[in-house]
């Protein structure tokens, strides 16, 4: 039977291995029978001195085997360190320090780019007056604007004014807002702020930050949303999206919302604060997601220090886009006229038990 190339290669390898082993054993010496015996190793690893045989001839000296294993180990260890060092360098290249002036210029350019990308940016809560916006913003905590927009039509049909909501039985209000989650705590806040509006502000939502933050369940974020979108008073709305992108863009390193607001306020003129908030939040919801940003489909990637944290392949990144950029409905049931996407669907009616 003819040998296959694989068998020939295996045989050749075996022969080579044997030849190498034989070469490493060193020269041999003759025994009393006249046969050749392999050289012996000494305890210290040094070459043993030559000995005379019975015939008076000198036997060849024994050679110490070379210690190759440690050398190989050291080489492998060094190679691993080198490879790791190269990988680390490749993944995290050193960045040149950015001056304050350069950062501000880059930040303002990002704002201009976002304005071109989202000329239709707007608050994504449905409302027709300051009270509806205030209530919707309180309800938006720990849930989506879409869920709030699907919930508020029934709520405002039952209690359209602060007086109506303040007089609402808590159990009934809880049932109306249950889809937004944390409905017991939110019910307490809504009844409390409605009563405060009725008793202290004549049933009207105040247009000052210092007054708004005294209402139950209303903090700076909620107050800035109401002031900027119901009263035209500039404000920076720091929600989870805004805070995340402000850090990724290098505008701040702070985690605290008020510190983020203060840092960003120093970068942009006051006239830009409200629309800046909408644009950044729009981008965070559609492109620069928390877990997997669509870096490869981001229009401001060249200006972003965090580029590469997400998917950089353009085709894969495009599949991560959401809402109108991804061909899906928006969050508002009644979006502005210039919104290029589809309105969100109303909440599906509950399935009746059979």
């Amino acid at each position: 039977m003819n040998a296959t190339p694989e068998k020939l290669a295996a045989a050749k390898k075996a022969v080579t291995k044997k030849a190498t082993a034989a070469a490493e054993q060193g020269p041999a010496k003759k025994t009393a029978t006249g046969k050749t015996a392999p050289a012996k190793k000494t305890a210290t690893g040094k070459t043993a001195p030559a000995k005379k045989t019975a015939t008076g001839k000198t036997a060849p000296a024994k050679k110490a085997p070379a210690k190759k294993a440690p050398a190989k180990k050291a080489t492998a260890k060094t190679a691993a360190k080198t490879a790791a060092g190269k990988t680390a360098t490749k993944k995290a290249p050193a960045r040149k320090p950015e001056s304050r002036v350069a950062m501000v210029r880059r930040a303002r350019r990002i704002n201009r780019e976002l304005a071109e990308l989202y000329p239709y940016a707007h608050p994504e809560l449905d409302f027709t007056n300051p009270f509806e916006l205030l209530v919707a913003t309180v309800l938006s905590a720990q849930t989506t604007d879409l869920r709030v927009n699907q919930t508020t039509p029934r709520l405002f049909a039952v209690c359209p004014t602060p007086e109506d909501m303040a007089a609402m039985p808590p159990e009934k209000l809880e049932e109306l807002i249950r889809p937004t989650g944390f409905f017991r705590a939110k019910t307490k806040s809504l009844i409390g702020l409605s009563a405060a509006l009725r008793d202290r502000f004549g049933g009207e939502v105040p247009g000052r930050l210092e007054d708004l933050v005294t209402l139950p369940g209303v903090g700076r974020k909620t107050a800035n949303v109401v002031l900027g979108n119901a009263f035209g008073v500039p404000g920076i709305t720091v929600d989870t999206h805004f805070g995340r992108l402000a850090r990724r863009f290098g505008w701040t390193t702070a985690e605290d919302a008020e510190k983020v607001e203060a840092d960003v306020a120093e970068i942009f003129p006051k006239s830009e604060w409200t629309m800046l908030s909408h644009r950044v939040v729009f981008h965070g919801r559609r492109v620069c997601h928390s877990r997997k940003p669509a870096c490869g489909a981001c229009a401001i990637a060249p200006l972003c220090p965090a580029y590469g944290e997400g998917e950089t392949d353009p085709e894969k990144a495009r599949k991560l886009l959401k809402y109108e950029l991804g061909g899906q409905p928006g969050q508002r049931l009644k979006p502005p006229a210039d919104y290029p996407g589809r309105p969100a669907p109303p909440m599906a009616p509950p399935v009746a038990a059979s």
Side-chain angles (χ1 to χ4, degrees):
M1 182 182 288
N2 294 330
T4 63
E6 290 78 9
K7 289 183 178 179
L8 289 173
K12 186 174 181 181
K13 188 175 180 181
V15 171
T16 305
K17 190 174 180 180
K18 287 182 180 179
T20 304
E24 289 178 351
Q25 287 179 351
K29 65 176 182 179
K30 288 185 180 179
T31 62
T33 59
K35 292 182 179 180
T36 304
K40 293 182 180 179
K41 302 175 185 177
T42 63
T44 60
K46 296 180 181 180
T47 305
K51 293 181 181 179
K52 290 186 179 181
T53 62
T55 57
K57 293 183 179 180
T58 304
K62 300 172 185 176
K63 292 183 180 178
K67 293 184 179 180
K68 292 186 177 181
K72 286 182 181 178
K73 202 175 210 177
T75 305
K77 193 173 182 181
T78 305
K81 281 185 178 180
T82 305
K86 287 182 178 178
T87 304
T89 304
K90 192 173 183 180
K91 284 185 179 179
R95 282 187 172 276
K96 292 182 179 179
E98 185 179 40
S99 68
R100 171 75 182 179
V101 172
M103 184 275 288
V104 171
R105 287 176 178 169
R106 180 174 57 79
R108 294 184 178 184
R109 186 177 171 191
I110 287 176
N111 184 35
R112 293 194 297 271
E113 295 283 343
L114 291 177
E116 291 183 11
L117 184 61
Y118 307 110
Y120 50 88
H122 58 270
E124 294 189 271
L125 290 168
D126 287 328
F127 69 97
T128 60
N129 57 57
F131 176 65
E132 289 186 357
L133 179 58
L134 176 61
V135 170
T137 307
V138 170
L139 290 176
S140 69
Q142 305 298 317
T143 190
T144 64
D145 287 356
L146 171 59
R147 181 59 72 191
V148 174
N149 293 334
Q150 291 173 328
T151 303
T152 51
R154 286 181 59 211
L155 174 64
F156 295 141
V158 175
C159 43
T161 68
E163 291 81 2
D164 295 325
M165 192 167 288
M168 176 74 64
E171 301 79 20
K172 188 173 181 180
L173 188 55
E174 285 178 4
E175 285 305 311
L176 287 170
I177 68 170
R178 183 183 289 269
T180 66
F182 300 94
F183 55 90
R184 290 191 179 89
K186 290 178 181 179
T187 293
K188 186 177 179 181
S189 294
L190 291 182
I191 291 178
L193 72 85
S194 296
L197 292 176
R198 180 196 62 197
D199 300 338
R200 293 196 280 125
F201 298 100
E204 298 293 332
V205 176
R208 299 195 314 161
L209 181 97
E210 52 267 39
D211 293 330
L212 284 169
V213 295
T214 66
L215 300 174
V218 178
R220 287 187 66 90
K221 184 194 86 169
T222 299
N224 280 328
V225 170
V226 174
L227 290 173
N229 298 286
F231 294 98
V233 177
I236 296 173
T237 304
V238 182
D239 65 357
T240 54
H241 302 289
F242 191 98
R244 178 177 72 252
L245 268 65
R247 287 184 287 274
R248 283 180 177 170
F249 292 160
W251 300 350
T252 183
T253 58
E255 295 286 339
D256 178 72
E258 288 193 28
K259 184 65 170 67
V260 172
E261 180 185 342
D263 289 345
V264 175
E266 293 180 355
I267 300 173
F268 298 94
K270 194 172 183 178
S271 59
E272 287 290 313
W273 288 357
T274 299
M275 287 309 300
L276 171 73
S277 300
H278 292 325
R279 293 163 191 155
V280 172
V281 171
F282 255 58
H283 197 62
R285 286 174 170 168
R286 287 149 177 78
V287 181
C288 197
H289 311 134
S290 175
R291 294 185 181 178
K292 199 170 185 182
C295 293
C298 180
I300 59 170
L303 300 171
C304 181
Y307 174 79
E309 284 188 14
E311 179 58 66
T312 56
D313 180 83
E315 290 300 321
K316 293 179 180 178
R318 271 193 285 271
K319 294 178 182 178
L320 300 174
L321 299 178
K322 294 183 179 179
Y323 302 112
E324 73 279 358
L325 297 187
Q328 302 155 3
Q331 297 199 77
R332 292 188 68 167
L333 277 65
K334 297 178 181 179
D338 62 345
Y339 180 66
R342 290 178 286 154
M347 188 181 298
V351 179
S354 57

